Amino acid sequence: MYGVFLVAGLALGAIYALSGVGLVVLYRSTGVLNIAYGAIGAMGAMLAWQLEQMQYPEPVAWVAALLAATLLSLAYGRLVAPYLSYREPVVKAVATLGFALMILGTANYFWVEAPRRLYLFTDAMGFEVLDVRITGTRALVLIATLATTFGIAIFLKHTRIGLLMQALANKRELSSVLGVPVIRIETYAWLISGVLAGFTGLMFGDLVRPNPGALTFLVIPAIAAAIVGRLESLPMTLAGGLIIGVVESMSTLIKPIAPYRSIAPFVVAAILLLWLQRNRKLTFSGHD
Amino acid sequence: MSAILEIDNLNVVRGHKPVLRNLSLRIEAGKTVALLGPNGAGKSSLVLAMAGVLPIASGIISLDGQNLVNRPPEIIRRSGIAAILEGHQVLTDLTVEENLRVAGFYLGQEDLLAEMNKAYEIFPELLELRKRLAGTLSGGQQQMVAVAHALMAKPKFILADELSLGLAPVIVKRLMSVLEALANKGCGILLIEQFTHVALRLADYVYVINRGRVHFQGLPAEVQANPRVLHEAYLAGDFELAKS
Amino acid sequence: MIEIRDVSVSFGGVRALTNLTVNLADPVVGIIGPNGAGKTTLLNVFSGFVTPGWGSICAFDTDLLAMRPHQRARWGLRRSFQTEQVVDDLSVADNVRAMLDSLPVTSRSERERQIEKALTYVHLEGKADELGSALNTYERRMVELAKTLVGSPKIVLLDEPGAGLRDEEVDALRQTILGINEQFGAMTLLIDHDVEMIAATCISTVVLDFGELLAFGPTAEILKDDRVKAAYLGIEEAE
Amino acid sequence: MLLSVAALILIVPSLLDALYLRVFISSVIFTIAATGTAVLYARLGLVSLAQVALVGVGGWVTLRMWHATGLPFEVNMLAGAIISGVVGMLIGLPALRMRGLFLALITLMGAAGFQILVTGTQFPNGGDGVLGIAVTSIFMPRPLLGESDEAMLRYVCVVAVLCFLLVEFNRRTRPGRAWALIRKSEACAMASGVNVAFYKAWGFALAGFIAGIAGALLAGTLGVLDATTFPASESILLFALTVVGGAYHWLGLVLTGLLFRAAPAVLNDIGVNGHLAYVIFGAGLLHALITAPTGIAGQILDGLTQLAKRRAGR
Amino acid sequence: LALTLSGTAFAQQKLYGLNTGKAASGQPILVGSVVGKTGPDDFSAGALAAKAYFDCVNSNGGINGRPIQFLIEDDQWKPEVAGQVASKLVKDRGVVALVGNGSFVEMTVNAKLYEQENVAVVASACAVRECFEAKNIASTNQGPVPSNIAAVQWAIEKLGTKKVACIGLNIPSNGVWSCNLTNEWLKEKGLSGVSVLMNPGAPDANSALLEAVASGADTFLMSLPAGLAQAFLKAGQDQNLRDKYKWVAPTPLYKQGIPESIGAYWGDKVHVAIELTKWDGAGPDGKRWLAVMDKYGAKSDPRDTFSQAGFVSANIFVDALLKMDPKKIDRANVTKALKAVKNYRTDLLCGPWYFGDADFHQPNHASMIVTITKTGFKSETGCFDPSGKYFDKIRAMEKAQKLTGS
Ligand SMILES: Nc1ncnc2c1ncn2[C@@H]1O[C@H](COP(=O)(O)OP(=O)(O)OP(=O)(O)O)[C@@H](O)[C@H]1O
Ligand SMILES: Nc1ncnc2c1ncn2[C@@H]1O[C@H](COP(=O)(O)OP(=O)(O)OP(=O)(O)O)[C@@H](O)[C@H]1O
Ligand SMILES: [Mg+2]
Ligand SMILES: [Mg+2]
């Protein structure tokens, strides 16, 4: 019994982790916590669904989803984000809510609520672990999460672009005075996170449901995973996402709290963060 | 061929307040120009404007005839003007070595290492600290990193704002000789210093500004011979203040 | 009278202070040393932002380290910072008043009297109602200084108060510091890289290097010390 | 100043039709809530993304109190405000060790948690026990002085003015100075003898208290509350609009309330499709954040000072 | 032949209201509707159908010459907005009644206003408990409780269900309420049921599914909105549980596009209790509904259960008003007339409809069962009224007040 919920929890956790990683990657390079991340992914997923309805082959749908999300991400990164670059991180973050509302409104306008289902070829595959069937899509999410976590961690650490991204996230103005081509580097970051958002949206569209509202606000539990990684550490974000998933799934077994299990991301994030901060002294101005 | 960095009739506004008013100034390669002035005169604003951080309302900044007005900071840096901003500005979340790598990222790998080693030679302290996050350094150590940033860029011109602020005398001396050496190699230097005597000793030419305007320009000897020049320039500000 | 015993601080692997032991008694004591010597760290130990690995500081028969930072301020410890901290949207008087808020000065008139005295002392009496944002660098320094002087201070710690000031202003600052003990009865510890200022104000001086005590004694003697010259002033070859 | 505000409060409500009476009541209530957000943001430099959730807490307690005791509205409102203040302080506890985006996100976690809890428990509507839900909702009556919509609008305006004054009083006295120091730097504040933890907690408690009042008024206006009013995203939006309106001046907070509640209502009233309204609203939010860094109020006030200067110059 | 002819004639007459063929030009009668359009789901289908019918009536003589001006307001799923728009309709515009309301929040907030202002509401999409327990609101749809119970009763009879897991939203007035009543009903029958509650925003239906599996039930009753029910089915497909359990659901899954979107995997395995009769019903009103929608509705207007319900609401309203003196059509009289409606019969509903003067309104409580096939829906039963105390009470009340007898 426990095993079943453990496996299901890991599968769920991978969902949180994957979007958490996407959030952290962008935040680390641009200082923007993108609340529109879910909405961008949702747009990709809806487009993929639409193309499937129009009988286009599946690869076309995949490409369209990734492309649409990347374009949206780039559009915001190039056209809007630079104007807000000198603002504090919280303002930069809440500004993306404006973008999220725009995307959500547009998506809802074109795709009025109706029964929908996104099919991916990975749905047909699957294997069993501890009596739980893991579909190809879920396995893909888990693998992709692991791959992006470590791939991007290595990329940021060992490449020049990674270094410049870190510099930018730290102090944008000083970096530009030091000669860092701000716009170009930020464009890379928005590009990478756009691709990730598209991929995440596609996966969520399949696993959750292709519904713009539901996908848009999934960003909030995803932020919980990112918080566990202090918006900084990709492996910790991964761990955070998985722990959150397992806790949420396992609390199904405790009757009185089972109906409230969706609260797990927030409780786990708050507790883990407080615990990770236990040795910190009072903060000094300018440091988070 | 000697490069010239020229500023002509520059106007800069911060908030709603003009901080530089029709300011003209010129730095030649291999020469050190001291920029003096009381607090709030606009010295730092000039550096920021030249570095491309502050928008320029009107006027010309040109490097060998190439106009740099309102170009992005990284372009200005890449064209050979390295500014050391006021207040020991470093990338706090990066290590010292990463700081230097960022500052010289557009050099080739070999060049980068060579420049980095040169910087470490000038500041052996930094070699020991190279794995530390710059944010945890002492004020003076951060200032060394800030200077090293500029050195990494192999600049044609260095704009140094309050270079000696917070540095021990031993380091200030070392820095001054570094600047001298750079000037000898053909680098033009704009030196902003509160310690007037230090600046005057090094400078080939002096500007005294107040309230965004040039009040005096001439040879350091003139200022040294006649300190009233400085006082009058400073007072000019107060006088205007009293009027307004 | 301040007794510093065996104070050691390390940040991770970095030793910022090593077994520092020294007794300070003069009204104005200087602290000098190369960059990264541990001067600011020592001040931070005083004000409680850094907890030493071990060691003790006993000031006027009180164990300083036993108190929480804000309690030390109430006890009579004052400090200014390497980067000034005047609040822009409070008036000059309110900047000073904020300090008095948490001190056990009960009567309102006494508070106002002290504010006035401190502001007069730093020659800002005419600017009491101006906002912090309207001040220039020198005036801001002076507001910081005035803040340290209200509410019967016992120890005033100043971290590079002269940085960024021009020569005449440094002169004025010097005079101000020299009068603190007489006017307000507090003992001053002064960090600065301006050796002239140290020489002119400090009766004795502590020299730190790599977190250790390099020398301590009357300022004039200290500045002649060869080791100090070599490590700090950098004039060994010149002479 | 106060006189002209009083005159406005007296006259305006009698000119409005039923729809806009309701709309303005909501707007004023969220102006009050935004006042709490602004205390933290403008005075302490801290961001709370849980304000709307705290409004919910205040409303919950107020309803619970009324169903349990039947005491007059004002008493229940005070209870709601106090409890919401305490909860606000608890959510703000991590603030003792964090600031900036992190702290904001922790409070967001609080808001998201509240959303789930209150969806499951719902707001008290007369059921037995603490969490009981009645078969037929019993409506909490309006406060005695606000029985009609017109009177209620006056009532919330007066409470809003009182909340402004409460904040202003705090700002001009000890807490205000302590906050100013903390905002500048916590180290500096501590060195000045400020008990940083206490005054930060005080800021959160005050913000929570004010949110609680807003919640009570909302409950008082509608008689029942629903979980759908208090999702986490609304808390984010309220903060964003506080920045857009301008957190540093009461005029900004009035604008915040109007943007939060009146703007969508106008779009709805003139028949704009709800989804398109989202698009317009989102774009407006971005536009305002970009073009008015000090908030719309900041821009208006700036413009006025410039104008005054130019007049004086002539 | 004669029979069909007279049938068409009857339909014709009703289709065109007064059937004058002339547009009404008198003083308009204001009628309102509050629907939850912008939000997690779109509940406006009922109002759109009502609008189509009113348009039809208006171009055929209106209400004895007076046209109906129909004002639809979107409550955006927000209680405050619901209060605002209801104030606008009831107080500012002075509507005589509301028709076709459909919302998750509106009825709770406005029930008191409607009572105070003495305005009657003939709703068509009530989803929460408060809607059925308000004095001035009566709906033509039946809500989750009868629908849940009908589905379960049929599953017991036809599929041999022994234990039911009711998967619902963790919302007291919706999922908790309907699942509790279903469980009580099961207990009364000597069987057992458990509630599996999930948050509306829950990303993953998988753990709800596993919880349901762990409960030991043999039948899953998906008392969820269509989107979530579908996600639940998908989780079931991922785990390949189709044949291990029985799958039933209340009305929400009776929706166009569902058979295609849940996929061929589920063909003939999911059974749905529907609140009104089938869309393709052969009855005159069923045909008339589709005809009106085609002629006066927009192409994009849904043709689903809630559209039927809205159409019925509008018919009830028009029929009531046609009997009134056109000069005396004001709110008080309209409310009186609507409350007097009883034993209203139409082939779109399984039973007779009434408004009545009670604190509680559940006039529609009989259902039909359909099975989702690979391509559409297949009827399993005709109309039937579920057994049990819950319904006995309603039926007793109907009899006592003579609301249904002919
Ligand atoms: N961020 C800012 N926004 C608006 N005005 C500013 C800003 N920073 C400085 N100023 C104003 O610009 C003017 C010039 O300041 P600047 O810093 O250039 O002077 P400075 O000569 O470098 O002085 P210091 O010796 O104190 O460094 C001053 O009047 C100052 O008030
Ligand atoms: N938070 C910290 N983490 C790690 N190392 C630190 C930290 N703070 C200070 N240090 C190190 O401790 C040593 C002493 O620093 P401190 O700031 O006391 O120097 P200082 O004497 O004030 O120098 P300066 O004259 O440059 O201000 C330095 O090597 C510094 O890098
Ligand atoms: Mg300067
Ligand atoms: Mg220091």
Side-chain angles (χ1 to χ4, degrees), chain B residues 132 138 140 165-166 168 170 173 234, chain C residues 14 35-36 164 166 193 232 235:
Chain B
R132 290 263 301 275
S138 82
L165 194 78
V170 60
K173 276 188 189 148
Y234 288 5
Chain C
V14 188
N35 297 116
R166 53 179 222 255
H193 287 300
Y232 183 58
I235 41 182

Side-chain angles (χ1 to χ4, degrees), chain B residues 22-156:
Chain B
N22 295 330
L23 189 125
S24 302
L25 176 151
R26 166 188 162 95
I27 312 166
E28 284 171 35
K31 292 281 177 347
T32 303
V33 171
L35 183 63
L36 304 178
N39 292 126
K43 306 180 296 288
S44 303
S45 303
L46 177 63
V47 171
L48 290 175
M50 290 171 78
V53 177
L54 279 186
I56 287 160
S58 70
I60 293 173
I61 301 176
S62 67
L63 175 65
D64 295 335
Q66 177 199 359
N67 191 0
L68 293 180
V69 167
N70 291 338
R71 303 301 310 275
E74 64 264 24
I75 300 291
I76 295 181
R77 179 77 161 207
R78 298 280 282 272
S79 59
I81 301 174
I84 303 169
L85 304 184
E86 195 178 20
H88 27 81
Q89 298 266 9
V90 294
L91 299 166
T92 46
D93 296 348
L94 272 62
T95 64
V96 169
E97 180 151 324
E98 286 169 341
N99 262 277
L100 301 190
R101 280 184 183 277
V102 169
F105 81 95
Y106 49 86
L107 305 173
Q109 187 64 22
E110 269 166 46
D111 249 11
L112 181 83
L113 287 181
E115 288 306 312
M116 200 142 69
N117 286 333
K118 271 195 226 163
Y120 286 145
E121 257 165 54
I122 295 169
F123 301 113
E125 293 90 340
L126 294 187
L127 187 60
E128 280 165 40
L129 298 171
R130 69 182 191 283
K131 295 272 175 246
R132 290 263 301 275
L133 290 186
T136 68
L137 300 183
S138 82
Q141 291 166 334
Q142 291 183 345
Q143 184 69 349
M144 293 179 206
V145 175
V147 176
H149 278 154
L151 298 180
M152 291 297 297
K154 297 212 277 188
K156 289 188 231 165

Side-chain angles (χ1 to χ4, degrees), chain B residues 17 39-40 211 238 241, chain C residues 84 86-93 95 124 126-141 143, chain D residues 184:
Chain B
K17 182 170 153 194
N39 292 126
R211 296 177 67 77
D238 294 342
L241 201 72
Chain C
E84 54 80 19
V86 175
V87 181
D88 280 343
D89 59 353
L90 286 185
S91 71
V92 168
N95 264 289
L124 282 179
K127 302 215 163 186
D129 294 328
E130 275 187 38
L131 285 184
S133 53
L135 303 181
N136 66 29
T137 316
Y138 173 71
E139 289 164 338
R140 296 170 85 87
R141 288 276 172 207
V143 173
Chain D
K184 184 80 189 178

